[in-house]
Amino acid sequence: QVQLVESGGGVVQPGGSLRLSCAASEFTFRGYGMHWVRQAPGKGLEWVAFIRDDGKTSYYAHSVLGRFTISRDNSKNMSYLQMNSLRPEDTAVYYCAKDPSGWSGAFDFWGQGSMVTVSS
Amino acid sequence: EIALTQSPATLSAFPGERATLSCRASQSVNTFLAWYQQKPGQAPRLLIYDASDRAAGIPARFSGSGSGTDFTLTISSLEPDDSAVYYCQQRKNWPLTFGGGTRVEIK
């Protein structure tokens, strides 16, 4: 069964940085695109970023463009989300999600999430 | 950016009843629409992709329909375990977007 395990969340001050990691297993990681989706406390889902299977193409939500960077290491079966210039409105549970193909834009498996709190 | 509007915000029904959830897009998404179920404290789960295809392991009581701008998720006979928030999501254009969700409560 596909497994996605996020790590790296925590409490950070406004303007600070944090890097989330997503460890993938039980599927051929290099063959699939990967996403990050977030959910603010008590709110709905918001797609954040996507990276294609080969790592050469990425897309971002307008709200994080220029501040967040998605990356992946296919040799380690890992996906990352580097978050800079964090704002209180970035407070959320961040989910790593697998794309059903190289870059279809859907999410067929999800991790359990990593909480990020931006507060002074 | 394509906006998705879900209705109703909350649906309350008895076990065995039929539930119909709606998702309307601000512009055509063809059939590039998915539905997800999220229970409290859990990650979302893919139910339906490409408007009407059930994901692996999803019970047949869940079905999706629609194309263009109007979509429906139907739960043919509600079970207590179906209590959750349901989200639609489009993959026609970047950025990917979700609807605001419909909460399904079982009486």
Side-chain angles (χ1 to χ4, degrees):
Chain A
Q1 177 70 321
V2 168
Q3 289 200 8
L4 299 169
V5 179
E6 302 92 340
S7 61
V11 180
V12 61
Q13 291 188 338
S17 297
L18 213 54
R19 188 176 86 151
L20 301 181
S21 300
C22 173
S25 60
E26 306 302 326
F27 68 101
T28 306
F29 183 74
R30 65 179 180 275
Y32 296 90
M34 296 296 296
H35 301 266
W36 289 92
V37 178
R38 69 185 180 183
Q39 187 169 36
K43 302 297 184 182
L45 300 169
E46 180 187 17
W47 171 78
V48 173
F50 165 79
I51 187 165
R52 194 172 170 170
D53 49 358
D54 61 5
K56 293 181 179 180
T57 302
S58 58
Y59 294 99
Y60 298 91
H62 298 312
S63 58
V64 306
L65 191 61
R67 300 188 298 123
F68 289 13
T69 302
I70 189 172
S71 61
R72 64 190 295 158
D73 185 336
N74 285 348
S75 69
K76 296 182 178 178
N77 290 354
M78 296 288 294
S79 176
Y80 305 99
L81 185 68
Q82 177 67 41
M83 304 183 293
N84 298 332
S85 302
L86 282 161
R87 305 166 179 170
E89 56 265 35
D90 295 319
T91 294
V93 174
Y94 284 74
Y95 294 102
C96 169
K98 172 185 166 292
D99 194 286
S101 71
W103 68 333
S104 78
F107 322 99
D108 60 352
F109 290 95
W110 300 63
Q112 282 306 301
S114 182
M115 183 70 205
V116 172
T117 302
V118 184
S119 174
S120 54
Chain B
E1 177 170 319
I2 297 176
L4 298 177
T5 302
Q6 291 188 240
S7 62
T10 303
L11 185 156
S12 184
F14 289 99
E17 289 189 325
R18 183 185 192 89
T20 302
L21 287 65
S22 175
C23 177
R24 176 164 289 179
S26 60
Q27 64 187 78
S28 176
V29 299
N30 297 329
T31 57
F32 298 130
L33 190 107
W35 291 91
Y36 301 85
Q37 176 193 64
Q38 187 179 33
K39 297 179 180 179
Q42 295 186 17
R45 176 176 71 149
L46 177 65
L47 297 176
I48 302 288
Y49 63 95
D50 290 350
S52 60
D53 293 332
R54 265 190 309 277
I58 301 303
R61 66 180 184 275
F62 292 93
S63 63
S65 63
S67 66
T69 61
D70 291 300
F71 300 86
T72 300
L73 174 69
T74 301
I75 310 173
S76 60
S77 179
L78 281 167
E79 297 187 1
D81 189 52
D82 298 334
S83 179
V85 179
Y86 293 81
Y87 296 94
C88 57
Q89 175 250 330
Q90 66 81 22
R91 67 180 185 89
K92 173 67 167 58
N93 289 347
W94 303 93
L96 308 178
T97 50
F98 288 92
T102 291
R103 182 178 303 276
V104 173
E105 299 175 346
I106 310 301
K107 292 179 181 178

